Amino acid sequence: MTTTADTNLWVADDPGHQLLGLEVVQPSSGRRGTVGTALIHTAKITSKVVKKVAHMRPIDDSCRELTADPGSLQPLRPLASNVAADTR
């Protein structure tokens, strides 16, 4: 079902998101998953980003996909950019 709020938004992939394809944890729930896609919801009228959502495949035994704010996710392994900064 499409609501009025849905028709006022553009939804687009965020193909350059740094966590795509990585295993992450959502600290608030403890759930772990692999980020499959990140979406950006933008208001059509103002062009302001309303929300960002990461969709993850579970790597725990839950068998349930999950969504979360990408900003709340933490990679299970250090990102290459963080490793390079730590070795300087």
Side-chain angles (χ1 to χ4, degrees):
M1 176 194 313
T2 302
T3 64
T4 303
D6 294 335
T7 59
N8 291 324
L9 297 175
W10 294 109
V11 179
D13 285 327
D14 185 359
H17 196 279
Q18 66 178 359
L19 296 176
L20 283 177
L22 297 180
E23 293 179 352
V24 297
V25 63
Q26 183 184 28
S28 62
S29 68
R31 296 279 314 271
R32 296 171 181 237
T34 302
V35 178
T37 190
L39 300 176
I40 302 171
H41 297 252
T42 306
K44 288 181 180 179
I45 296 172
T46 63
S47 297
K48 291 185 180 182
V49 173
V50 176
K51 68 179 176 176
K52 295 181 179 182
V53 180
H55 292 260
M56 297 158 287
R57 293 178 303 277
I59 56 174
D60 54 20
D61 293 332
S62 69
C63 298
R64 295 185 60 175
E65 290 191 358
L66 60 148
T67 59
D69 176 352
S72 71
L73 301 175
Q74 296 177 350
L76 291 176
R77 294 180 187 87
L79 297 173
S81 60
N82 293 344
V83 171
D86 291 344
T87 58
R88 290 185 209 162

